[in-house]
């Protein structure tokens, strides 16, 4: 790949439009590659790919024949950048990667890019654990997914526990049990921790669960039915009843799955619906002939883009960091299906098909996804209209010049100063912007325990120092138009002083304080230099402010609990180089506690199974060097 950025700097006379683009044709060849169009301030307006860069750019040099969106983009273009590639497929992959990084104004943009959860059956323990997993697949075991959401995973895990009685507890909790837990009492676990099931029997249930997750449910039901019959004949009525309950649970699971296609084993169903300049893409995840959930996306689109362009951009960005299934079943064709199939096949390591079915079960699946997309977009548009009214109401209630595009709300959480965290939530014209939420681990060693003002000062200092450094011109949309402070006039005045230290005095802020009775609905609002006021009890704006405050509190509390839980479960062994999960289990099982490991002599450490002489010396030195 070659980079040609010799002409990336905008001309000194700030010329824009067709003539600027025309000048680049003199040096372009017919290579495939990616081009970027930039405005007078070198901000990327658009990223595109081309089989032939010269031919593609010459289209933009024409003075007419463009849609309104493209004409506006051309008129703003002051310079271009080019990256040549060896193949058009490479150009496609690079284009989608750059779009996700740069988020150009005129591209179709997928805004929700969270990873999907999987189910993991671990492999490093005699009694494997089944659990939810999200992120890099570093832990050894069998992964099944992706699932559309954490809720879909939790429902499936709940069903699997009812049928197969697999443990979901951590390895450390498993090792420490001396009697069965509640999961055993409610028939959700076979209690391998205390020997209620043999390793062979438990291993068979693990294999059955994996067969279920692979779609082989008929074999499982037949074997369970046979085992139940044998138990009944042997007059083992309690075991027969347990097997009967498992068969019943398995039948209920299969009934609850909803869409269970017979002719589609592993595919993503992708349907697009567009209306009023907005788009919704609905994705159904079909794995092992089972529906593993669905999720809707709302890519950013312009008013004059067509469905083929939107769907191709969505697929390219969606699978940029995800592994595609062998089949993508689409509601309509995309612009470059062969090119996209080649790119995705290279990512998966085997053939990927893109299908637009016209009849049969696949067409029925697409119709179902399309109906969901249509209904989801209708709900989204209704919510957006309501949200726009609320933002207008916020502006009127708090005396803002215009409806805010970004509201930031802050809250702290701690227990007498311990495990202190700060949370920031963001709301805008489309509701809560959860990908913009931020958490702050309070670092101040000199803070008095419970000093909420000191904590807030640290959070705001870190927040605005970063904003000033990364976006001093306030052009990236990351600066708030309104700050909501949990507190009264004193808190607002204190926050104002903090902001003044950094030269930020133009951002409106409002303190939200409980009324005399501290009841929700009797909030009082405080602004610097203006009288305190309240909103009427049934005002929708008041409800919205309450929702934002509660969301900030929920987020801060959740972050605090996660930090506290992590700290409670931590041991000094976590910091010893070379001690992973397996050796940590072995050490704790041998000595009983991390404190006992620290007191152990070198010969005792060497006696632990799986601990080499060199590692034993590392462990010994670690604890004794620490004193």
């Amino acid at each position: 790949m070659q980079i040609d950025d010799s002409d990336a700097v905008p001309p000194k006379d700030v010329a824009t439009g067709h003539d600027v683009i025309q000048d680049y044709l003199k040096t372009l060849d017919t290579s495939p590659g990616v081009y970027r169009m930039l405005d007078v301030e070198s901000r990327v307006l658009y990223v595109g790919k081309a089989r032939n860069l010269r031919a593609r750019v010459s289209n933009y040099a024409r003075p007419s024949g463009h849609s309104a969106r493209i004409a506006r983009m051309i008129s703003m273009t002051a310079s271009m950048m080019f990256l040549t590639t060896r193949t058009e497929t490479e150009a496609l992959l690079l284009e989608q990667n750059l779009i996700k990084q740069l988020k150009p104004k005129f591209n179709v943009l997928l805004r929700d890019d969270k990873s999907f959860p999987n189910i993991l059956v671990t492999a490093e323990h005699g009694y494997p654990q089944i659990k939810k997993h999200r992120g890099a697949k570093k832990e050894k075991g069998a992964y099944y997914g992706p699932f559309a959401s954490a809720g879909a995973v939790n429902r499936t895990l709940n069903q699997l526990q009812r049928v197969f009685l697999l443990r979901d507890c951590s390895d450390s909790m498993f090792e420490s049990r001396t009697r069965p837990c509640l999961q055993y009492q409610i028939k959700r676990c076979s209690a391998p921790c205390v020997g209620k099931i043999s390793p062979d029997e438990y291993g068979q249930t693990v294999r059955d669960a994996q067969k279920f997750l692979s779609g082989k449910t008929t074999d499982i039901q037949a074997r369970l039915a046979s085992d139940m019959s044998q138990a009944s004949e042997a007059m083992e009525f309690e075991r027969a009843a347990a097997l009967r309950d498992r068969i019943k649970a398995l039948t209920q699971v299969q009934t609850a799955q909803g869409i269970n296609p017979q002719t589609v084993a592993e595919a993503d169903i992708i349907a697009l619906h567009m209306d009023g300049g907005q788009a919704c893409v609905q994705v159904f995840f079909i794995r092992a002939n089972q529906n593993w959930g669905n999720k809707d996306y709302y890519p950013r689109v312009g008013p004059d883009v067509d469905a083929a362009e939107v769907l191709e951009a969505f697929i390219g960005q969606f699978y940029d960091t995800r592994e595609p299934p062998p089949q993508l079943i689409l509601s309509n064709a995309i612009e470059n299906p062969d090119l996209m199939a080649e790119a995705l096949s290279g990512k998966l390591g085997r053939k990927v098909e893109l299908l637009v079915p016209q009849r049969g079960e696949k067409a029925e699946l697409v119709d179902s996804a399309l109906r969901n997309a249509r209904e989801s977009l209708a709900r989204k548009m209704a919510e957006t209209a309501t949200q726009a009214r609320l933002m207008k109401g916020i502006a009127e209630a708090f005396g803002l010049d215009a409806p805010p595009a970004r509201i930031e709300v802050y809250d702290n959480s701690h227990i007498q100063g311990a495990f202190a965290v700060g949370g920031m939530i963001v709301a805008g014209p489309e509701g809560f912007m959860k990908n913009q939420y931020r958490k702050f681990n309070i670092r101040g060693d000199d803070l008095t325990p419970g000093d909420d003002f000191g904590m807030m000062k640290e959070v705001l200092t870190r927040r605005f120092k970063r904003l000033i450094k990364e976006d001093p011109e306030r052009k990236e949309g990351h600066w708030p138009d309104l700050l909501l402070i949990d507190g009264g006039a004193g808190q607002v005045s204190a926050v104002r002083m903090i902001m003044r230290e950094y030269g930020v005095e133009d951002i409106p802020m409002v303190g939200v304080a409980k009324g005399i009775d501290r009841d929700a609905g009797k909030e009082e609002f405080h602004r610097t230099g203006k009288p305190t006021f309240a909103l009427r009890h049934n005002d929708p704006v008041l409800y919205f402010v309450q929702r934002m405050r509660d969301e900030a509190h929920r987020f801060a509390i959740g972050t605090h609990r996660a930090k506290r839980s992590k700290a409670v479960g931590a041991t000094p062994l976590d910091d010893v180089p070379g001690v992973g999960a397996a050796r940590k289990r072995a050490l704790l099982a041998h000595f009983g506690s991390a404190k006992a490991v620290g007191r152990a002599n070198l010969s005792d450490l060497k006696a632990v199974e799986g601990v080499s002489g060199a590692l034993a010396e590392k462990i010994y030195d670690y604890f004794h060097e620490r004193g």
Side-chain angles (χ1 to χ4, degrees), residues 367-378:
D367 288 343
S368 178
L370 196 55
R371 182 178 65 255
N372 276 270
R374 184 166 55 248
E375 293 171 354
S376 296
L377 185 59

Side-chain angles (χ1 to χ4, degrees), residues 398 409-411 483-493 509-527 531-535 537 542 545-546 548-550:
F398 299 145
V409 191
Y410 295 86
D411 196 10
L483 293 183
L484 286 185
I485 311 299
D486 187 10
Q491 282 85 347
V492 172
S493 178
M509 57 184 66
V510 176
V512 185
K514 294 285 181 68
I516 297 174
D517 299 325
R518 299 190 62 79
D519 290 334
K522 296 183 179 181
E523 284 82 357
E524 295 178 343
F525 298 94
H526 301 264
R527 295 174 294 175
T532 302
F533 71 100
L535 296 172
H537 184 70
L542 175 60
V545 171
Q546 291 170 347
M548 287 190 287
R549 183 193 58 202
D550 293 345

Side-chain angles (χ1 to χ4, degrees), residues 76 151 256 321 334 414:
M76 296 174 65
T321 54
I334 63 175
H414 59 91

Side-chain angles (χ1 to χ4, degrees), residues 172-382:
S172 59
M173 182 177 290
F174 179 92
E175 302 294 347
S176 66
R177 296 299 304 182
T178 57
R179 58 181 180 176
C181 66
L182 180 63
Q183 290 289 85
Y184 174 76
Q185 306 296 335
I186 63 174
K187 299 182 180 180
R188 295 292 177 89
C189 180
S190 52
C193 54
V194 291
K196 294 290 185 180
I197 185 172
S198 70
D200 289 343
E201 287 180 293
Y202 189 86
Q204 181 61 56
T205 62
V206 170
R207 289 189 290 275
D208 284 347
Q210 291 179 311
K211 284 182 180 179
F212 173 82
L213 289 167
S214 301
K216 301 173 183 176
T217 55
T218 305
D219 296 345
I220 301 170
Q221 282 181 306
R223 191 182 60 76
L224 289 176
S226 175
D227 290 349
M228 182 179 69
S229 178
Q230 291 175 14
S232 181
E233 289 175 3
M235 291 188 290
E236 297 175 357
F237 299 120
E238 187 174 342
R239 181 166 179 266
L243 289 166
R244 179 202 62 202
D245 292 342
R246 290 176 64 186
I247 293 170
K248 183 179 178 181
L250 183 59
T251 303
Q252 291 174 342
V253 167
Q254 291 172 303
T255 304
Q257 284 286 342
I259 300 173
N260 289 312
Q262 301 301 309
T263 60
V264 181
E266 188 174 358
D268 286 348
I269 316 297
I270 305 176
L272 166 68
H273 179 72
M274 299 178 67
D275 185 19
Q278 298 188 51
C280 176
V281 178
Q282 186 80 203
V283 183
F284 283 4
F285 300 92
I286 306 297
R287 300 293 185 272
N289 294 97
Q290 301 171 46
N291 174 25
W292 282 3
N294 63 293
K295 188 170 177 63
D296 47 350
Y297 295 87
Y298 302 92
R300 188 188 71 192
V301 299
D304 55 359
V305 293
D306 59 24
E309 180 183 352
V310 173
L311 199 55
E312 178 170 303
F314 174 84
I315 292 170
Q317 293 172 49
F318 188 74
Y319 295 108
D320 180 54
T321 54
R322 300 182 179 96
E323 185 178 276
Q327 281 190 340
L328 303 185
I329 302 175
L330 312 178
S331 60
N332 47 275
I334 63 175
E335 293 179 335
N336 302 283
D338 295 338
L339 188 65
M340 184 64 73
E342 182 182 347
L344 295 178
S345 297
K347 181 180 285 289
L348 183 61
R350 58 189 175 117
K351 184 178 180 181
V352 174
E353 292 183 293
L354 273 64
L355 308 175
V356 184
Q358 303 301 316
R359 62 184 65 85
E361 186 179 43
K362 292 183 177 69
E364 292 174 4
L365 289 170
V366 168
D367 288 343
S368 178
L370 196 55
R371 182 178 65 255
N372 276 270
R374 184 166 55 248
E375 293 171 354
S376 296
L377 185 59
R379 288 193 297 269
K380 178 76 171 178
M381 292 174 73

Side-chain angles (χ1 to χ4, degrees), residues 573 587-599:
L573 292 174
L587 288 163
L588 290 174
H590 187 92
F591 292 103
S593 69
K595 185 178 289 186
V597 175
R599 291 196 301 261

